[in-house]
Amino acid sequence: MTKKEIATQAMDILEKKYPDAICSLDYRKDYELLISTRLAAQCTDARVNLVTPVLFGKYPTLQALDEAPLEDIEEIIKSCGLYKTKARDIKGIARMLLEVYGGKLPDTMEELLKLPGIGRKTANLVLGDVFHKPAIVCDTHCIRITNLLGLSTTKDPAKVEIQLRKVLDPQRSNDFCHRLVLFGRETCKARSPQCENCELSVCCTHYIKNHKADNTGSTQKPALANA
């Protein structure tokens, strides 16, 4: 199969398995998703979802976040790790959104990347979920699984994004990335992948290669790729 054929089959399979492709971060306002994703750096979404109700409950507007004492934000988000840097970014984001963008999220990659602490992964998530534009969120699950499928060949997020844009249907790419997160947590786990029970085994380059090797009687099975 070509990479585009593999991509289409994988998207079809995961769409059937996970009809509702939704972000695992909880939010009510557009900017809350931006800030929540910033907090999720080197932190679990589950932890962020415990912290943000407290943060946004105490500071429910951009104005309130901008005026909030830095030390108080640090204390609230401390369990998310890197809290000093993240707290500065939160205040910087709030101020820049108010002063430069009139309190609204910009809707282009170029402008989103100007916000403090915001990289391509977060910008892609916002573009896809908030503005419903074609987007590819290259988190660890996306990188690991697309490497195994043979759709990408590197662990570098920016390069993976470029490679995936060539093979994924842009209208389905954002939902596909959400489904990869769910699939990566449930089946294609980094340390204990369930290859024998994997729905994607029919189009997984890594699995097919290993399966063929086993059928030839090879005694040495290729190691599972890690991403």
Side-chain angles (χ1 to χ4, degrees), residues 44-158:
T44 66
D45 290 355
R47 167 55 56 185
V48 173
N49 286 338
L50 293 175
V51 168
T52 49
V54 180
L55 177 65
F56 298 136
K58 188 169 185 178
Y59 302 107
T61 65
L62 287 171
Q63 188 73 36
L65 286 169
D66 178 38
E67 296 174 353
L70 180 63
E71 295 77 11
D72 195 31
I73 293 180
E74 289 177 349
E75 186 61 31
I76 292 172
I77 69 170
K78 194 170 186 177
S79 63
C80 291
L82 304 174
Y83 65 95
K84 289 186 177 294
T85 299
K86 291 179 181 179
R88 287 196 301 270
D89 287 343
I90 289 171
K91 285 182 63 66
I93 287 169
R95 175 157 298 186
M96 192 167 179
L97 288 178
L98 288 167
E99 294 182 351
V100 180
Y101 300 105
K104 297 181 179 180
L105 288 183
D107 63 355
T108 68
M109 175 68 72
E110 180 183 14
E111 295 301 315
L112 285 167
L113 292 178
K114 293 179 181 179
L115 296 169
I118 301 304
R120 291 192 66 88
K121 184 178 81 170
T122 300
N124 268 303
L125 182 62
V126 169
L127 290 174
D129 279 35
V130 175
F131 297 107
H132 308 294
K133 294 185 176 184
I136 296 176
V137 181
C138 290
D139 66 354
T140 56
H141 296 289
C142 175
I143 294 171
R144 183 181 73 256
I145 297 172
T146 60
N147 266 238
L148 293 173
L149 290 172
L151 301 178
S152 61
T153 58
T154 174
K155 297 179 184 179
D156 183 284

Side-chain angles (χ1 to χ4, degrees), residues 4-16 149 151 168 172 176 179-180 200 203:
K4 284 190 176 182
E5 289 172 336
I6 292 172
T8 298
Q9 188 169 7
M11 286 189 286
D12 290 344
I13 291 170
L14 292 190
E15 185 173 345
K16 184 177 180 180
L149 290 172
L151 301 178
L168 296 180
R172 304 174 71 189
F176 180 58
R179 292 180 174 116
L180 287 176
L200 293 185
C203 59

Side-chain angles (χ1 to χ4, degrees), residues 192-206:
S192 55
Q194 301 172 30
C195 294
E196 297 305 322
N197 299 312
C198 176
E199 292 93 335
L200 293 185
S201 62
V202 295
C203 59
C204 177
T205 299
H206 177 79

